Amino acid sequence: MNQFKFFMAKYPGSESDKPVRVNGELIQPGPAKLKSQGHKTSSGKTDDVSGDAGSQKGKAGDGEPSGSEEAASQEKQLRTLGHFTAYNVIRFLKSKRDEGMPAWKRMKVIRALMVYRRVVLLLPDDDLIPLMMKMEEIIILERSREAGYDSVEEAVGKIDPSEIDAVQEFRRALRKDGKRLQTERSYVGKLKSFMMARGLTCLSDFDNIGAADVEAHLTDLAVDGNVAASTQNTAFHGLLAFFKLVLKRDMGKIEAIRANKGKQVPTVMSADEVGRVFDGLEGVHLVIAELLYGCGMRISEAVRLRVKDLDFDNRRIEIHQSKGGKSRVVPMPEELVEPLQRFMATRRALHEHDVADGRASVWLPHALAKKYPSAPRQFRWQYLFASSRFSKDPRTGRFHRHHLHHDTFPIHLRRAVEAAGITKHVTSHTFRHCFATHLLWDNTDIRRIQMLLGHSDVKTTMIYTHVDNRIGPVVVSPLDRLRAEVNSSEQDDEKGSGADEVRECGAAYAVRRPRVQPQSRFQSRASFRARGGPCSQAMVSCGAG
């Protein structure tokens, strides 16, 4: 907004400027610009828009203008200010570029001017669309250079030429846009499913594909495919990215039948159950499970830990490039200090063996390998839980010693859960749920838990309060109340014989009424069960029958 105000005040450009070419279109300089004296209209007259006292009054002797005249004058002034051309915007953006403003900020200026045209002035903004498209290309180029690449094609990496041309262009566009490999695989998979369902074989077949086809495909996923809401949302966002990045056109309004996702309550194990699962794990998988439960990590965060992320002196672990590209710091449990140090020593021995063979290499994000050429061979950058063999990077084709695959841990976890006799649906993420819930049970502040989990919004962390029955007023089930009442009555029956009991209360005495005989009490409950009462099974389980 500040840059928008600065643009409206500066309004650069003049009639003598040369035309500029944007996306093949020649942008001619606009008419004479606003000056402090006024703005010349097509009729040759000058409208004073300087905003001084003379512009707010009528002719001499006419007095102050009426409210309608003042409103008309303000509307006329706004209309005049809205008559900036694309050439004026180009001149302004060039001046901001020379001042060092990044491309993504200049894109915000263009979007603000487009909104001002459409919403405030009710004028078309078609002449600014080519500028926005060109600025998107500049943003991609700047992002590649900041990552250390010399060109956009170098940042894209290798593309399989045997794939369909639409898939190749989609992969190239996603990599230019900075999407992760996992996102690329997911979006490409949804695009292939859409092409298979619609009988599309190449990029040219998308000329006649529009919002109706996308809407029908998403509806089929929800109705016929009965997919989850997350699957349908991924398909929608994947196709939306394809239309925007590859086809360069708007997908249109989608009103498909959406898959309904109910409110999910996380599965939480007790402390005893967590310990029984740990008893069924060993080696590296036990350490990973203890990291998930002791630090609240995701499985992807645990397996991607590097040697440099462990701070034994301060007892903390750094987590970088997590979900959403965020980073955070979590405390290192004392129980894990000695196991992690042992794994560190083992990893050092493996790295020294790779260095001796001349094969030491590890994948680094954001072209850090080019910025720091020796980093892939340094021990601090190596993955802590390294794979036993080298693997090929699908984007660059280079071989690195990568981390353990995140699908190997669930296999060992499933065996441990079965050996522990736990019938709950336990996954790798269940340990993260247990971490948050058990901290709540220990009266840890919810904001602190939010920071440890890396949630942007506390509402995401609040889901763990739905599985907590220890904070605030405890809700006791009516069945538990009934059982407690029966147990209490049985204990009272064992103490006395039914005679009058006299209890001293200070100086006064009170006579209690005789208790009901135990036989009559259980006879009444037996007759209630015989009539088919709703709590008959509860009485049997409580030992009352």
Side-chain angles (χ1 to χ4, degrees):
M1 182 58 69
N2 293 334
Q3 296 300 329
F4 169 73
K5 293 179 180 179
F6 185 68
F7 168 79
M8 300 304 293
K10 189 175 181 181
Y11 213 76
S14 63
E15 289 182 340
S16 61
D17 294 325
K18 298 180 180 180
V20 179
R21 186 175 297 276
V22 178
N23 288 346
E25 180 182 354
L26 195 63
I27 305 297
Q28 297 290 344
K33 308 303 177 294
L34 288 177
K35 298 180 181 180
S36 60
Q37 289 82 6
H39 175 73
K40 185 173 290 187
T41 62
S42 59
S43 61
K45 298 181 180 180
T46 300
D47 294 332
D48 191 357
V49 293
S50 59
D52 56 358
S55 64
Q56 301 297 330
K57 297 183 180 181
K59 297 180 180 180
D62 290 344
E64 296 292 334
S66 61
S68 59
E69 293 177 354
E70 184 177 358
S73 175
Q74 293 178 356
E75 182 179 358
K76 188 175 183 181
Q77 182 176 351
L78 283 176
R79 288 280 179 177
T80 306
L81 289 175
H83 289 164
F84 56 85
T85 64
Y87 186 78
N88 305 138
V89 180
I90 293 174
R91 288 294 306 275
F92 177 75
L93 294 178
K94 282 186 175 181
S95 64
K96 304 310 291 184
R97 178 201 61 188
D98 297 339
E99 294 176 4
M101 177 182 289
W104 64 270
K105 282 190 176 182
R106 284 177 277 159
M107 173 65 81
K108 287 190 174 183
V109 174
I110 298 177
R111 290 175 177 172
L113 293 174
M114 295 176 68
V115 173
Y116 177 73
R117 279 266 195 92
R118 293 194 311 266
V119 179
V120 179
L121 302 177
L122 302 179
L123 296 175
D125 58 355
D126 299 339
D127 58 332
L128 300 181
I129 294 179
L131 301 183
M132 184 179 65
M133 298 175 61
K134 182 64 177 179
M135 191 57 64
E136 289 179 352
E137 299 178 1
I138 297 176
I139 291 175
I140 294 175
L141 181 60
E142 282 192 1
R143 186 180 298 161
S144 302
R145 290 175 177 174
E146 290 176 358
Y149 299 106
D150 294 333
S151 63
V152 177
E153 292 302 324
E154 185 180 356
V156 169
K158 295 184 178 181
I159 302 293
D160 187 2
S162 62
E163 288 186 316
I164 305 173
D165 57 349
V167 176
Q168 293 184 40
E169 292 298 326
F170 194 30
R171 289 187 186 275
R172 185 174 289 105
L174 289 174
R175 295 179 185 181
K176 288 181 180 179
D177 200 44
K179 293 294 188 294
R180 290 191 173 186
L181 180 60
Q182 186 175 0
T183 304
E184 175 188 332
R185 289 174 176 172
S186 179
Y187 282 6
V188 168
K190 300 305 178 185
L191 176 64
K192 290 181 178 179
S193 300
F194 177 76
M195 295 180 65
M196 184 180 298
R198 295 292 151 182
L200 308 177
T201 58
C202 60
L203 186 60
S204 59
D205 293 343
F206 282 89
D207 295 340
N208 299 324
I209 297 297
D213 301 277
V214 177
E215 183 176 316
H217 178 68
L218 296 177
T219 302
D220 292 341
L221 290 178
V223 178
D224 299 334
N226 196 23
V227 299
S230 58
T231 303
Q232 190 189 41
N233 291 334
T234 304
F236 169 75
H237 290 291
L239 294 175
L240 181 65
F242 180 77
F243 271 75
K244 177 183 177 182
L245 300 176
V246 179
L247 301 181
K248 304 293 185 181
R249 56 187 171 94
D250 187 15
M251 188 169 62
K253 188 176 182 180
I254 304 298
E255 296 181 354
I257 298 177
R258 305 306 299 271
N260 295 324
K261 180 180 179 181
K263 192 173 183 180
Q264 303 294 324
V265 177
T267 302
V268 177
M269 295 185 293
S270 64
D272 178 68
E273 290 174 330
V274 173
R276 284 153 51 192
V277 173
F278 285 168
D279 292 339
L281 296 172
E282 60 181 7
V284 63
H285 302 102
L286 175 60
V287 176
I288 292 178
E290 291 176 339
L291 281 172
L292 300 181
Y293 175 67
C295 303
M297 294 185 184
R298 302 177 179 90
I299 181 62
S300 58
E301 298 169 349
V303 297
R304 286 204 302 258
L305 284 177
R306 299 180 187 264
V307 173
K308 68 178 185 62
D309 298 333
L310 303 180
D311 187 355
F312 291 100
D313 292 339
N314 296 319
R315 295 293 192 267
R316 67 177 194 171
I317 301 175
E318 299 176 2
I319 301 175
H320 297 283
Q321 293 298 314
S322 180
K323 185 177 180 181
K326 295 177 292 186
S327 301
R328 69 183 190 274
V329 177
V330 297
M332 179 187 296
E334 290 291 337
E335 293 290 332
L336 284 176
V337 173
E338 191 270 336
L340 289 177
Q341 289 177 343
R342 284 191 285 106
F343 270 96
M344 186 85 73
T346 305
R347 184 66 184 90
R348 183 182 293 275
L350 179 60
H351 177 66
E352 291 176 354
H353 183 271
D354 293 339
V355 172
D357 291 344
R359 304 178 61 192
S361 178
V362 67
W363 177 84
L364 296 178
H366 307 306
L368 287 177
K370 190 170 185 179
K371 187 176 182 181
Y372 307 110
S374 61
R377 297 185 298 274
Q378 293 177 356
F379 177 63
R380 66 172 62 92
W381 290 97
Q382 305 302 313
Y383 287 113
L384 179 63
F385 305 113
S387 176
S388 59
R389 61 179 181 270
F390 284 79
S391 57
K392 185 178 180 181
D393 190 340
R395 288 188 172 180
T396 63
R398 300 172 183 173
F399 283 88
H400 306 288
R401 186 176 291 280
H402 213 52
H403 57 71
L404 291 176
H405 200 278
H406 56 79
D407 287 340
T408 59
F409 176 75
I411 300 175
H412 296 267
L413 176 62
R414 192 179 306 113
R415 297 172 183 171
V417 171
E418 293 176 355
I422 299 175
T423 57
K424 297 177 181 178
H425 180 61
V426 179
T427 62
S428 304
H429 213 68
T430 304
F431 290 107
R432 182 173 165 91
H433 297 326
C434 296
F435 168 81
T437 306
H438 293 177
L439 285 181
L440 275 177
W441 289 351
D442 292 336
N443 299 326
T444 306
D445 183 64
I446 190 86
R447 295 286 182 178
R448 179 62 176 169
I449 300 176
Q450 175 193 356
M451 294 176 57
L452 294 176
L453 294 178
H455 291 162
S456 300
D457 193 348
V458 71
K459 293 181 180 179
T460 309
T461 317
M462 289 295 291
I463 189 176
Y464 298 108
T465 61
H466 298 293
V467 297
D468 185 13
N469 196 29
R470 303 190 185 189
I471 300 178
V474 178
V475 179
V476 181
S477 171
L479 179 61
D480 293 335
R481 293 180 182 274
L482 177 62
R483 182 174 182 178
E485 178 184 351
V486 174
N487 292 338
S488 177
S489 62
E490 291 178 351
Q491 293 176 2
D492 293 343
D493 293 339
E494 293 175 357
K495 291 181 180 179
S497 58
D500 291 344
E501 296 180 0
V502 181
R503 177 175 296 177
E504 180 178 1
C505 298
Y509 294 89
V511 179
R512 299 181 60 185
R513 298 178 60 184
R515 293 188 180 91
V516 181
Q517 293 295 331
Q519 183 178 3
S520 62
R521 175 180 291 238
F522 289 110
Q523 283 179 352
S524 61
R525 295 192 181 276
S527 61
F528 179 74
R529 293 197 303 272
R531 294 195 300 267
C535 298
S536 58
Q537 297 297 329
M539 297 301 102
V540 174
S541 62
C542 294

